[in-house]
Amino acid sequence: MTTKFKNIKDSTSEDWKAIDQSYYELRDQLPNRLIETLRQLDTIQGALPVSRLEHSLQAATRARRDNKSDEYVFTALFHDIGSYFTHVNHAEISAAMIRPYVSEDLHWMILHHEIFQSYHYFDKIGLDKNARDQFVSHRLYEATVEFCEKYDAPSWDAAYDSLRLEEFYDLVDSVTKNKRR
Ligand SMILES: [Fe+2]
Ligand SMILES: [Fe+2]
């Protein structure tokens, strides 16, 4: 059923039953839309050693090979998805996109990873690399340092044997299935 109102003020409770029903069907398409958006990161490389898709696959592959949880691997896979839409505040977009599916801790980590990651290169572009110090007493400081150190920073290696995107389909499906909302 397609509802017919022209102004939302005129919508009926029957309309909203139908809209609610269709929402569940649309929600089931979300994992696929996340994957297809991630795939577009293959078009973003510029002068970087690998594309942002390859970077994401490497980060997720390293996390999986370290036996991190599925939710952590999912987080690593999508940590830069926001860079498809914006650069300077990509962490905010990535964090917002994964928020329905991951813990508050993983969400915080991705929301702040851009600041923590800058520790590894901001001094080379004349900026303050120690901006992460403002969070030094935060309980997730060490976890975010670890994410950047082990999974984000090293994942620009053109020779790394990363898993293909297809190999993460089941993981994306299971992580999003449990918590879709
Ligand atoms: Fe990033
Ligand atoms: Fe990254």
Side-chain angles (χ1 to χ4, degrees):
M1 164 185 172
T2 304
T3 53
K4 304 284 186 202
F5 55 84
K6 294 180 181 172
N7 185 319
I8 201 163
K9 293 178 189 172
D10 302 324
S11 59
T12 65
S13 51
E14 284 305 305
D15 286 340
W16 286 102
K17 267 186 212 152
I19 292 164
D20 258 5
Q21 188 56 42
S22 66
Y23 169 75
Y24 289 109
E25 289 160 24
L26 291 171
R27 196 182 57 172
D28 288 341
Q29 299 166 9
L30 286 173
N32 196 41
R33 276 192 251 151
L34 282 174
I35 286 169
E36 291 313 310
T37 305
L38 192 68
R39 198 188 304 282
Q40 296 305 312
L41 296 188
D42 205 26
T43 63
I44 303 176
Q45 181 167 351
L48 289 165
V50 299
S51 76
R52 289 205 175 260
L53 173 60
E54 175 57 27
H55 168 69
S56 304
L57 292 169
Q58 278 188 33
T61 300
R62 290 171 199 277
R64 178 171 254 185
R65 288 176 180 160
D66 277 356
N67 292 317
K68 291 290 191 182
S69 68
D70 283 358
E71 203 173 294
Y72 194 104
V73 175
F74 174 89
T75 299
L77 185 63
F78 289 103
H79 80 279
D80 273 343
I81 193 169
S83 64
Y84 184 64
F85 305 105
T86 179
H87 181 64
V88 291
N89 62 335
H90 74 273
E92 287 178 62
I93 309 281
S94 300
M97 288 177 76
I98 65 171
R99 189 171 198 170
Y101 313 114
V102 302
S103 67
E104 285 182 21
D105 286 6
L106 288 174
H107 172 262
W108 192 96
M109 196 172 78
I110 294 314
L111 184 60
H112 295 88
H113 86 274
E114 202 171 327
I115 295 168
F116 280 67
Q117 181 73 344
S118 69
Y119 176 77
H120 298 290
Y121 69 97
F122 260 25
D123 55 322
K124 291 146 196 164
I125 56 175
L127 296 171
D128 176 17
K129 66 181 276 186
N130 295 308
R132 68 181 190 176
D133 287 356
Q134 65 191 287
F135 300 111
V136 77
S137 56
H138 194 282
R139 69 183 177 83
L140 295 172
Y141 178 84
E142 287 302 335
T144 311
V145 166
E146 182 200 38
F147 173 78
C148 290
E149 193 73 39
K150 291 188 178 173
Y151 307 115
D152 202 358
S155 294
W156 298 101
D157 178 357
Y160 186 75
D161 173 30
S162 54
L163 296 167
R164 299 296 82 206
L165 182 53
E166 294 71 25
E167 294 173 86
F168 292 103
Y169 285 0
D170 288 348
L171 178 138
V172 172
D173 194 53
S174 68
V175 170
T176 57
K177 195 168 274 166
N178 295 335
K179 297 194 175 177
R180 276 176 213 166
R181 52 182 185 247

